[in-house]
Amino acid sequence: MAGGRDYFGVFGLERRLDVDAGELQQRYDQRCREVHPDSGGAREEFEVLQEAFASLQSPARRLRHWLELAGLEGSGRGSVPAPVADRFEEISSLLQAAETVAERHGNAQSALVRSMAESDGMTLQGRLAEAREEVEKLSGAWVSRFGEFDRRGPTEVAEEAGEAIRALTFLEKWADQLRMAWARAGCW
């Protein structure tokens, strides 16, 4: 938590994990108009607003912040939960394949080699999209527990929340990497 700030409070939100993304975006947009340096606001206040938004947008960072506000460690140290760890090899393989296809396309010296790389990239895009859907499904399963966490409170769910932080941290990173790999595998 940056400087002991309550990021929920920055947006006038209740300290709850189950945050409506649309409401958060609306409040962020409103606050941006109020505190943006081009509108006469202070740069420091705008930077806090940006950090608060990034933290609350990310389920892993939001959960970590929620725990820290309760005086609990939100580091998420420990092993990655099995449902996530089991995906590591598959995700790594897909990301490597996307990089290889992009390199083949970029280094192609002929239209034929370039065309073959493009064909491989389009095929790979389907697999990358499927993997991303699976990652998003797994993330959704973890996030679906936030309502229960809110009801039980930070102290009671600290251990489960740490496991969720570890899982969501990997899943969010993979979702971003898969999104970039999808674009790289077929964006010529």
Side-chain angles (χ1 to χ4, degrees):
M1 177 172 50
R5 291 187 187 267
D6 176 354
Y7 291 152
F8 296 96
V10 168
F11 296 104
L13 295 170
E14 187 180 338
R15 284 187 190 177
R16 294 174 15 114
L17 292 171
D18 210 3
V19 171
D20 178 83
E23 180 182 1
L24 178 61
Q25 182 69 52
Q26 185 178 24
R27 289 181 185 226
Y28 173 72
D29 292 343
Q30 177 185 351
R31 293 285 296 140
C32 277
R33 287 188 293 275
E34 295 169 359
V35 303
H36 194 281
D38 292 345
S39 300
R43 182 180 51 84
E44 296 80 19
E45 187 176 4
F46 184 67
E47 288 172 357
V48 167
L49 180 69
Q50 289 178 305
E51 174 60 26
F53 183 66
S55 291
L56 296 184
Q57 247 191 337
S58 157
R61 291 178 66 185
R62 182 180 339 132
L63 181 53
R64 181 177 293 117
H65 182 65
W66 182 74
L67 288 172
E68 290 172 348
L69 287 171
L72 302 169
E73 182 179 347
S75 69
R77 291 189 182 130
S79 62
V80 176
V84 176
D86 292 345
R87 309 293 289 171
F88 185 79
E89 188 174 333
E90 174 192 355
I91 301 290
S92 295
S93 174
L94 283 170
L95 294 173
Q96 182 58 48
E99 184 64 29
T100 300
V101 166
E103 285 177 13
R104 277 186 29 228
H105 185 271
N107 295 332
Q109 299 294 316
S110 71
L112 176 62
V113 173
R114 194 171 15 268
S115 178
M116 290 171 56
E118 289 171 5
S119 176
D120 290 347
M122 287 188 283
T123 301
L124 184 59
Q125 279 185 314
R127 293 177 48 214
L128 290 163
E130 288 172 7
R132 196 167 120 211
E133 286 176 22
E134 182 62 28
V135 164
E136 289 171 1
K137 183 178 171 184
L138 285 169
S139 291
W142 286 98
V143 171
S144 72
R145 299 174 67 189
F146 282 7
E148 176 192 345
F149 288 178
D150 280 330
R151 283 188 295 284
R152 291 172 49 205
T155 304
E156 190 175 326
V157 300
E159 189 173 322
E160 295 169 75
E163 182 179 47
I165 290 169
R166 292 188 296 277
L168 287 165
T169 299
F170 269 90
L171 293 168
E172 289 174 15
K173 178 180 174 185
W174 286 344
D176 288 342
Q177 289 174 327
L178 288 165
R179 190 174 6 273
M180 289 186 292
W182 184 89
R184 192 159 158 77
C187 189
W188 319 113

